[in-house]
Amino acid sequence: MKDKLIKALLCVFALGLFYALFVFFAFDKNEFLSSFEQRYSRVLYDKNKNILSAFINKDEQWHLRSDDISERLKIAVINYEDKNFYSHFGVDFLAFLRALKDNLTREKRSGASTISMQLIKLNEKNERTYFNKINEIIKAFALESSLSKDEILNLYLNNAPYGGNLVGFASAIRFYFDKNPKDLSWSEAAVLAVLPNNPSLINLEKNKDKLLKKRNALLEKLFQKGHISDDIYKLSLLEPLPKFYPRRNLAPHLAQHLLNDSKKELVSSIDKNLQIKFEKKAKQYSSYLQKLGIQNLAILLLDTKRYKALVYIGSQDFYDENLGQINGVLAKRSAGSTLKPFLYALAIDEGLIAPNSLLLDVPTFFSNFFPQNANKKYYGLISAKESLQRSLNVPFVSLLRDYGYEKFFYKMKDFLAYEDEDYERYGLSFILGTKEFSLEELSKLYLALGNYGLLGEISYIEDEPMPERRQIFSKASAYLSLDALKSLQRVGLENYNKIDKIVSWKTGTSYGRKDALAIGTTPKYTLGVWVGNFTGEANANLYGVSIAGDLFFELLSLLDDVNLDFKASDDLINIKLDSLTRYRFDDSYNGFNIDYTYDLYPASAKVLRTSPFLKKIYEYEGKIVDSLDTNFKDAKAKFILDLPANAQTFFQKEKIFMPQSKKLKILYPQNALNLILSRNLDGKKSFVIRLASSNDENLFYYLNEKLIYSGKSKELELDLNAGAYTLFVINESGDSDEVSFSIKR
């Protein structure tokens, strides 16, 4: 009988040993670590590794992790939980025997779990049984053979419970102290050391006396062991217990954009201090906007030299019920007039204009497109630079026509990599914002402008290397654009702050007042602001210069070094321009009464064209003659301003004398135009013929060789059916013009 008992015991021992060896060798370090990795919350840090945003995990816990563990916390935890941590191999047998004796002789039960054993328990979340305790002992040995002591302590602190739905010491520090983990006081470290042993103590209303008692007992122990001095000990006892403070996420839109299950933690390039200031200002400004019926805004601040994002605000408030979680930085909206500086720079490089070259700003039809300036005014002949500063539409539509709207469309496609290929859909209206871009895309363009034409991707990750960059227009044309934009008209007091706030900026207001933009760049910062309604609702108060511009300059006031100016690029040269229209001075002008002036121009640009407004004519006794005229041999050559008929009509109306060429022109419809007309309320299809005529003579309108009107009116409304038409108009002096067009249903 005794032998059988011995054999049975040996068999049990062998089975136990076999089981222990199996468990020991079956322990998978990678699987163990992976099980913890899956539990951590998604966290976005700022560039200094301060937490910006954190999100609860799938278990609805705040489970943050950090490798920045203060020495004070390590010392406090080891002294409270496992004083022999650095000397045992996973199990403290002396503590185990002492706990066994206490459990047999005392009513109050105690445990002897080491930090390693507790980590196994945290990983497996098993119930407290003797069998599970044996498992913990075996796996603690396996754990100690796989990981270093510091790795084990790090894992324990990052996965220990700290009350409620807080897991990990970093979560506790964020919600109880809101400070850098390395800046813990001895009192705070002692609180964090005792909480995992009994996290229910954090209910301060019920258990604050118990928590205080445990904290002070640990502080006394640390004092007696010489870890803290007498003065620190006394001061630590006076520190109050923590309170739970709910924390709002910073830059949550960026966190949602960057973080996912495969990227749970990222150190962003965001500056937490600036983010806090900008979010506060955005919230304040939003209160003002809402009184005007405007619900939303978005802001993006970039480090010009580093191509890094410093502030990212997707909406006025991520938690706002007015669609606050929509990311306004990425949302596609009308660009308004914000693309004009880039056409300006490209047109200079193409040899179409110099900054002071004159452009026409008069009522103009471009086929069936009739752009108007925002203020409904026209300025006649105005420099390209001032046209940009005033954001005039007609001169820039004309400039886009000269540059080529298809070419400009594909330039922007190359810069911003959009998929759209339908350049004809936008045509000349592209420059007025009919194609939608995000605030991020537009800010990327202004970032390139602030880097003298070097285009690179915006980076949101702090340790990401400088992006690849490429020159998209010359340094000189970039500088000339920057120089023009810094003189833009500002609203109110900001007009007196141009020395303190030097910024090359541009505003944009979408058609129908749905979007207002203000984007600008300085040598240090590039700032983009969008204001509007995510619903797309129009609002009469939406103006780029005032609504978005006001916020733009309020944000600039929060920044340092905004009084720096861009230095002139080294690839600028002086070129000779005609003094009348300020295009390239041609040698053929010599000997005529045409003076010249100088202007800055890129050395690498194409040769600037000669003036499209100067024409060489031959005049005899005040009459223009050609080579067929008998008096041509006695005629004298001269250069005159050769302006189109619509410009002459404008100057005549404004009582501005200009030399004239052609005296009559059909402005609308234009030749070869195909029209699809909508019906009026009375069911008729009508359109208006418009003429430019430089005198007050009678006009005769012929449609398909039939006289339809005679008189002095320069506008004629017709009701026409589908078909092909030829319109011929002649005045009493014999000046005439003719166009053919068609109408479709």
Side-chain angles (χ1 to χ4, degrees):
M1 186 72 179
K2 185 177 179 181
D3 291 341
K4 288 182 179 181
L5 181 60
I6 292 173
K7 287 180 180 180
L9 290 172
L10 288 173
C11 185
V12 170
F13 177 78
L15 287 172
L17 181 61
F18 175 78
Y19 175 77
L21 291 172
F22 173 79
V23 170
F24 182 90
F25 288 107
F27 180 82
D28 188 326
K29 168 188 171 181
N30 293 328
E31 183 180 338
F32 181 81
L33 295 174
S34 177
S35 69
F36 283 121
E37 287 294 331
Q38 296 171 11
R39 303 176 193 178
Y40 294 130
S41 294
R42 291 178 297 134
V43 185
L44 184 71
Y45 298 92
D46 87 332
K47 63 180 184 179
N48 297 313
K49 295 189 176 180
N50 297 308
I51 293 176
L52 290 171
S53 280
F55 302 92
I56 58 175
N57 62 15
K58 61 183 179 180
D59 296 321
E60 297 189 353
Q61 295 173 323
W62 296 103
H63 193 164
L64 313 183
R65 69 173 301 278
S66 174
D67 293 325
D68 293 332
I69 305 173
S70 82
E71 286 300 316
R72 291 176 178 177
L73 180 58
K74 290 181 181 179
I75 292 169
V77 167
I78 289 171
N79 276 273
Y80 186 78
E81 289 284 0
D82 190 356
K83 64 180 181 180
N84 297 317
F85 174 69
Y86 281 103
S87 59
H88 63 62
F89 297 98
V91 179
D92 188 340
F93 286 105
L94 290 176
F96 187 81
L97 292 173
R98 186 167 55 250
L100 181 62
K101 176 186 173 184
D102 289 344
N103 290 335
L104 291 173
T105 59
R106 296 182 183 178
E107 244 182 74
K108 187 176 179 182
R109 303 177 68 82
S110 63
S113 293
T114 61
I115 287 175
S116 301
M117 292 168 65
Q118 289 184 58
L119 185 57
I120 297 295
K121 184 177 180 180
L122 290 171
N123 178 261
E124 299 184 351
K125 300 180 180 179
N126 292 324
E127 294 181 3
R128 189 171 182 178
T129 65
Y130 286 112
F131 178 76
N132 287 335
K133 180 67 74 174
I134 293 170
N135 262 313
E136 290 169 14
I137 291 172
I138 297 169
K139 289 182 179 178
F141 282 119
L143 179 66
E144 294 266 351
S145 67
S146 301
L147 300 175
S148 69
K149 288 288 187 180
D150 287 338
E151 287 174 324
I152 292 170
L153 183 59
N154 184 308
L155 271 174
Y156 169 75
L157 289 171
N158 275 300
N159 291 278
Y162 283 91
N165 65 343
L166 299 182
V167 180
F169 81 100
S171 301
I173 291 174
R174 175 175 171 79
F175 286 95
Y176 296 149
F177 308 117
D178 192 28
K179 58 166 53 179
N180 191 303
K182 289 187 175 181
D183 295 333
L184 284 179
S185 68
W186 278 108
S187 175
E188 292 164 343
V191 169
L192 294 182
V194 303
L195 279 176
N197 189 267
N198 191 353
S200 63
L201 290 177
I202 202 58
N203 189 334
L204 300 183
E205 296 304 317
K206 295 180 180 179
N207 301 306
K208 60 182 180 181
D209 291 338
K210 291 182 180 179
L211 179 59
L212 187 64
K213 185 177 179 181
K214 283 181 172 287
R215 183 203 71 174
N216 291 348
L218 178 55
L219 286 171
E220 183 180 7
K221 186 176 183 180
L222 295 172
F223 167 63
Q224 290 174 349
K225 288 194 171 185
H227 293 296
I228 55 179
S229 65
D230 181 61
D231 289 342
I232 296 296
Y233 170 59
K234 290 176 181 176
L235 289 172
S236 298
L237 292 175
L238 296 175
E239 280 191 35
L241 290 173
K243 295 180 181 179
F244 184 89
Y245 295 102
R247 306 294 175 189
R248 291 174 69 89
N249 283 337
L250 295 169
H253 293 89
L254 180 61
Q256 280 199 336
H257 179 56
L258 295 180
L259 300 174
N260 51 47
D261 289 338
S262 61
K263 289 184 180 178
K264 287 199 167 187
E265 291 186 1
L266 279 175
V267 178
S268 74
S269 57
I270 300 299
D271 184 314
K272 183 177 181 179
N273 292 329
L274 284 178
Q275 183 75 26
I276 290 171
K277 290 179 182 179
F278 272 51
E279 286 195 14
K280 182 179 179 182
K281 178 62 69 176
K283 189 70 174 174
Q284 292 171 348
Y285 199 76
S286 178
S287 298
Y288 160 69
L289 290 176
Q290 287 177 10
K291 295 175 183 176
L292 302 175
I294 304 169
Q295 303 296 332
N296 306 110
L297 59 82
I299 300 165
L300 184 61
L301 177 68
L302 309 171
D303 182 321
T304 300
K305 296 303 180 188
R306 298 176 64 230
Y307 291 75
K308 300 282 187 185
L310 297 173
V311 172
Y312 192 106
I313 299 176
S315 73
Q316 70 290 346
D317 184 353
F318 185 77
Y319 305 98
D320 193 298
E321 60 183 12
N322 291 313
L323 306 177
Q325 293 193 20
I326 291 177
N327 190 339
V329 173
L330 300 180
K332 303 280 188 178
R333 308 300 299 226
S334 168
S337 296
T338 55
L339 295 181
K340 288 176 181 175
F342 306 98
L343 176 58
Y344 181 83
L346 290 168
I348 290 175
D349 281 343
E350 193 68 17
L352 296 176
I353 54 170
N356 288 304
S357 298
L358 296 183
L359 300 175
L360 270 177
D361 183 36
V362 298
T364 307
F365 277 92
F366 300 86
S367 186
N368 60 344
F369 179 42
F370 183 55
Q372 294 178 294
N373 295 324
N375 60 6
K376 308 299 182 185
K377 296 180 181 179
Y378 298 93
Y379 296 87
L381 283 167
I382 187 169
S383 74
K385 182 177 182 179
E386 191 173 355
S387 295
L388 177 60
Q389 292 168 342
R390 291 178 179 268
S391 195
L392 301 179
N393 291 336
V394 177
F396 271 89
V397 172
S398 298
L399 192 58
L400 181 59
R401 178 193 58 193
D402 294 346
Y403 184 82
Y405 66 82
E406 178 183 1
K407 182 178 178 180
F408 186 69
F409 176 91
Y410 281 107
K411 279 283 186 183
M412 291 298 110
K413 180 178 172 67
D414 177 49
F415 299 163
L416 298 176
Y418 50 76
E419 295 181 0
D420 196 349
E421 296 277 353
D422 192 5
Y423 62 88
E424 290 184 340
R425 175 184 175 189
Y426 310 101
L428 293 174
S429 68
F430 185 89
I431 195 61
L432 304 185
T434 51
K435 179 166 176 55
E436 295 181 335
F437 294 96
S438 68
L439 182 63
E440 179 185 58
E441 289 172 319
L442 295 173
S443 298
K444 175 182 170 182
L445 290 177
Y446 280 80
L447 186 63
L449 193 61
N451 282 285
Y452 295 89
L454 281 174
L455 181 72
E457 294 298 325
I458 297 170
S459 173
Y460 298 103
I461 311 302
E462 178 60 21
D463 60 359
E464 206 168 52
M466 178 71 76
E468 290 186 12
R469 299 176 296 166
R470 59 194 173 100
Q471 199 79 40
I472 58 173
F473 35 74
S474 70
K475 289 172 59 179
S477 66
Y479 171 75
L480 293 173
S481 301
L482 292 166
D483 184 61
L485 291 173
K486 74 179 182 182
S487 299
L488 254 69
Q489 185 76 12
R490 305 181 187 182
V491 174
L493 293 176
E494 286 302 328
N495 269 317
Y496 302 97
N497 292 333
K498 290 185 177 180
I499 296 177
D500 298 327
K501 296 177 189 172
I502 302 174
V503 57
S504 298
W505 70 301
K506 184 75 183 72
T507 62
T509 305
S510 68
Y511 178 77
R513 306 274 177 81
K514 295 182 179 181
D515 307 279
L517 288 155
I519 313 177
T521 185
T522 76
K524 190 169 183 178
Y525 301 106
T526 298
L527 174 62
V529 170
W530 170 85
V531 176
N533 294 304
F534 287 147
T535 60
E537 179 183 349
N539 188 295
N541 296 305
L542 275 171
Y543 285 96
V545 68
S546 56
I547 294 298
D550 280 351
L551 177 56
F552 180 87
F553 282 103
E554 284 192 31
L555 294 171
L556 277 184
S557 299
L558 302 176
L559 301 172
D560 57 358
D561 297 333
V562 290
N563 60 344
L564 306 176
D565 203 354
F566 287 101
K567 295 180 180 179
S569 60
D570 55 8
D571 57 340
L572 282 166
I573 58 173
N574 268 307
I575 62 169
K576 189 186 289 187
L577 309 180
D578 75 78
S579 59
L580 289 175
T581 62
R582 283 162 275 181
Y583 288 85
R584 178 169 57 85
F585 186 88
D586 190 76
D587 289 342
S588 63
Y589 299 156
N590 288 321
F592 295 93
N593 193 27
I594 297 178
D595 204 352
Y596 59 82
T597 184
Y598 289 93
D599 201 0
L600 291 174
Y601 194 71
S604 61
K606 292 182 180 179
V607 175
L608 180 64
R609 62 177 171 170
T610 54
S611 175
F613 305 124
L614 289 179
K615 180 181 179 181
K616 190 175 186 179
I617 63 164
Y618 292 87
E619 190 175 76
Y620 179 76
E621 295 182 352
K623 182 181 178 181
I624 298 174
V625 297
D626 58 23
S627 60
L628 298 178
D629 194 287
T630 56
N631 296 308
F632 182 73
K633 61 181 176 26
D634 297 317
K636 291 185 178 181
K638 65 184 293 188
F639 282 91
I640 64 166
L641 276 176
D642 182 32
L643 301 178
N646 62 315
Q648 293 179 33
T649 299
F650 171 80
F651 290 124
Q652 182 186 38
K653 181 180 177 182
E654 297 296 320
K655 296 182 172 53
I656 301 172
F657 174 76
M658 287 286 179
Q660 300 169 358
S661 51
K662 192 170 183 178
K663 297 181 179 180
L664 174 66
K665 182 172 179 59
I666 299 172
L667 298 179
Y668 187 82
Q670 293 188 349
N671 195 46
L673 185 64
N674 294 315
L675 290 170
I676 299 177
L677 297 180
S678 59
R679 293 186 184 275
N680 296 332
L681 293 176
D682 58 5
K684 295 182 178 180
K685 286 177 169 285
S686 62
F687 78 106
V688 178
I689 294 172
R690 291 182 173 86
L691 303 183
S693 178
S694 60
N695 55 40
D696 199 31
E697 295 178 340
N698 283 323
L699 301 163
F700 303 91
Y701 291 71
Y702 291 85
L703 190 66
N704 289 349
E705 300 183 354
K706 181 180 178 181
L707 180 67
I708 60 172
Y709 172 81
S710 64
K712 295 184 178 181
S713 177
K714 296 169 187 175
E715 290 188 0
L716 185 65
E717 184 175 356
L718 298 178
D719 178 23
L720 299 177
N721 295 318
Y725 296 91
T726 298
L727 175 66
F728 175 77
V729 182
I730 188 169
N731 65 14
E732 291 177 309
S733 299
D735 297 308
S736 65
D737 197 13
E738 181 178 320
V739 296
S740 295
F741 61 96
S742 62
I743 292 178
K744 296 180 180 179
R745 291 188 184 275

